[in-house]
Amino acid sequence: MQSSVDPKMIVYFDGHYVPLAEARVGILTHALHYGTGVFEGIRAHWDEEQQELFVMRPVEHYERWKQNCGILRIDVPLSAEELNEISLELMRRNAFRTNVYVRPLAYKSAERIGVSCDEQDSFALIALPFGDYLPTDRGLHAGVSSWRRIDDNAIPARGKICGAYVNSALASDEAHRCGFDDAIFLNESGHVAEGAACNIFMVRKGKLITPSVTENVLEGITRDAVMELARRELGLEVVERPIDRSELYVCDELFFTGTAVGIAPVTQVDHRLVKDGVIGVITRELQKVYFDATRGHLQAYLNWLKPVYKSGMKDEQGHRVPAEMIAG
Ligand SMILES: Cc1ncc(COP(=O)(O)O)c(C=O)c1O
């Protein structure tokens, strides 16, 4: 769990950089009553050696956010690149020198009663220091939830829509109360979908397998990165296909992926050990290569990263120096 947040921390709210304590919404705000918001989650990792904070695929995250906002007809009137610039500036203003989580949130902001939507939209960007969301250095015990993953024709799971996270909250709360570290959702067809706030992968017979994007899952950017790393760095065959619940009980390795989570090994499901109950070799290798890629240690994946501090450097005339022009 994260510690409390500094109310003096700077956030971007209604077009201004303001202290968190001043970023307030009214009690009648549409999104608060009806869940009509869309959020995003972006990670920046601090690298002590390079004294740099690297943001992981931020422009893709903002593009996904803007697309998802379109599902609810919320307009975010800036480009993905402009949004990225604001969140870089936010991290610089807060002088973060630790791992950070960026939370963009766009929402229906009219203050009135009535579920139908109008054109009144607002958005905020919040960046805060953030450690591990789930433990990644030990195996987790996950429980298959009695709650089913919400269907695309009810509320699209790919949309990161605020109201849809009641589904995740119910599953995760149930899992914790039953003594599990987290939940695994099945979808309405009974196949494995994902975790409460993360995607899921299993290793079976040397192949890396994950549910396809039409199984009512979020189309994870970490999921995508892990598939690429598995293929390119580990030479693994990666398969997207339906996964039966019982395959969770007979697979060789299992892990969750996500922006907040990173790669979190699962070594027990429903009181059954995954293989021999220790973190698998492929999971460990992927954790290592993902760690290196997200901290700017691997040349091949530098294009995934935006450096926070280098991106803010100015030349003698006070103009921003593009990060790619700065040596080192
Ligand atoms: C339901 C759900 N699935 C999967 C993910 C992982 O997606 P990403 O890797 O893009 O963070 C998240 C996290 O954002 C999530 O909330």
Side-chain angles (χ1 to χ4, degrees):
M1 285 296 135
Q2 303 299 313
S3 54
S4 61
V5 181
D6 178 2
K8 295 201 281 302
M9 192 182 78
I10 302 298
V11 302
Y12 189 80
F13 180 70
D14 279 346
H16 303 282
Y17 294 94
V18 297
L20 176 65
E22 289 174 24
R24 290 282 177 260
V25 295
I27 193 65
L28 273 176
T29 302
H30 196 275
L32 191 57
H33 293 249
Y34 306 115
T36 48
V38 174
F39 70 94
E40 193 43 67
I42 307 173
R43 263 283 185 197
H45 295 102
W46 174 249
D47 188 68
E48 187 63 28
E49 202 180 303
Q50 300 174 71
Q51 293 287 298
E52 184 55 278
L53 193 52
F54 292 105
V55 197
M56 173 70 168
R57 298 172 82 167
V59 175
E60 266 172 78
H61 276 280
Y62 283 119
E63 276 163 0
R64 178 172 80 180
W65 186 45
K66 283 172 67 71
Q67 281 174 353
N68 287 339
C69 283
I71 297 176
L72 260 185
R73 294 193 311 96
I74 294 176
D75 180 43
V76 178
L78 296 177
S79 69
E81 284 75 14
E82 288 166 328
L83 292 161
N84 174 45
E85 285 303 324
I86 295 172
S87 56
L88 292 173
E89 180 61 22
L90 207 48
M91 285 181 263
R92 287 191 290 265
R93 287 190 185 212
N94 285 298
F96 290 139
R97 300 174 81 78
T98 184
N99 291 346
V100 171
Y101 184 80
V102 181
R103 166 54 57 85
L105 172 67
Y107 54 99
K108 289 288 176 196
S109 53
E111 296 187 48
R112 59 168 176 78
I113 298 290
V115 75
S116 67
C117 294
D118 57 24
E119 312 303 318
Q120 197 174 320
D121 305 325
S122 300
F123 78 92
L125 306 183
I126 304 130
L128 62 162
F130 203 84
D132 283 346
Y133 180 78
L134 287 175
T136 51
D137 51 354
R138 68 164 173 88
L140 302 175
H141 187 181
V144 171
S145 183
S146 70
W147 296 96
R148 290 295 169 106
R149 189 70 179 124
I150 203 157
D151 189 79
D152 192 59
N153 290 304
I155 310 177
R158 67 167 50 74
K160 253 180 134 45
I161 293 167
C162 296
Y165 277 75
V166 171
N167 187 220
S168 293
L170 288 170
S172 147
D173 184 55
E174 175 192 63
H176 293 152
R177 283 167 190 275
C178 293
F180 298 116
D181 292 302
D182 218 335
I184 297 175
F185 271 122
L186 305 181
N187 58 26
E188 285 294 351
S189 69
H191 290 121
V192 173
E194 59 182 340
C198 42
N199 292 116
I200 192 165
F201 284 84
M202 73 171 180
V203 177
R204 270 199 92 183
K205 300 179 182 160
K207 289 182 192 162
L208 187 61
I209 304 165
T210 193
S212 71
V213 294
T214 49
E215 294 279 341
N216 292 319
V217 302
L218 185 88
E219 298 181 18
I221 290 175
T222 319
R223 173 186 180 276
D224 184 72
V226 163
M227 291 198 290
E228 185 169 343
L229 292 171
R231 288 189 178 111
R232 281 177 64 184
E233 303 300 319
L234 276 62
L236 287 177
E237 185 180 341
V238 183
V239 183
E240 295 172 71
R241 66 153 173 87
I243 295 179
D244 282 340
R245 173 183 189 157
S246 59
E247 289 190 275
L248 300 173
Y249 303 158
V250 300
C251 67
D252 301 318
E253 297 186 31
L254 196 63
F255 58 86
F256 289 132
T257 67
T259 293
V261 171
I263 299 177
V266 177
T267 52
Q268 272 193 82
V269 181
D270 292 346
H271 308 281
R272 292 152 176 91
L273 295 184
V274 174
K275 189 85 171 178
D276 45 12
V278 298
I279 301 174
V281 176
I282 290 175
T283 309
R284 279 205 188 283
E285 283 179 24
L286 282 168
Q287 280 184 311
K288 172 155 190 351
V289 75
Y290 182 76
F291 182 97
D292 288 341
T294 52
R295 271 75 176 174
H297 300 174
L298 298 180
Q299 192 70 31
Y301 303 97
L302 286 181
N303 63 336
W304 281 353
L305 306 178
K306 294 276 182 217
V308 169
Y309 293 105
K310 267 186 191 164
S311 312
M313 286 172 74
K314 307 235 169 92
D315 65 16
E316 280 136 36
Q317 285 81 45
H319 299 127
R320 220 6 96 70
V321 182
E324 50 278 14
M325 302 282 290
I326 304 163

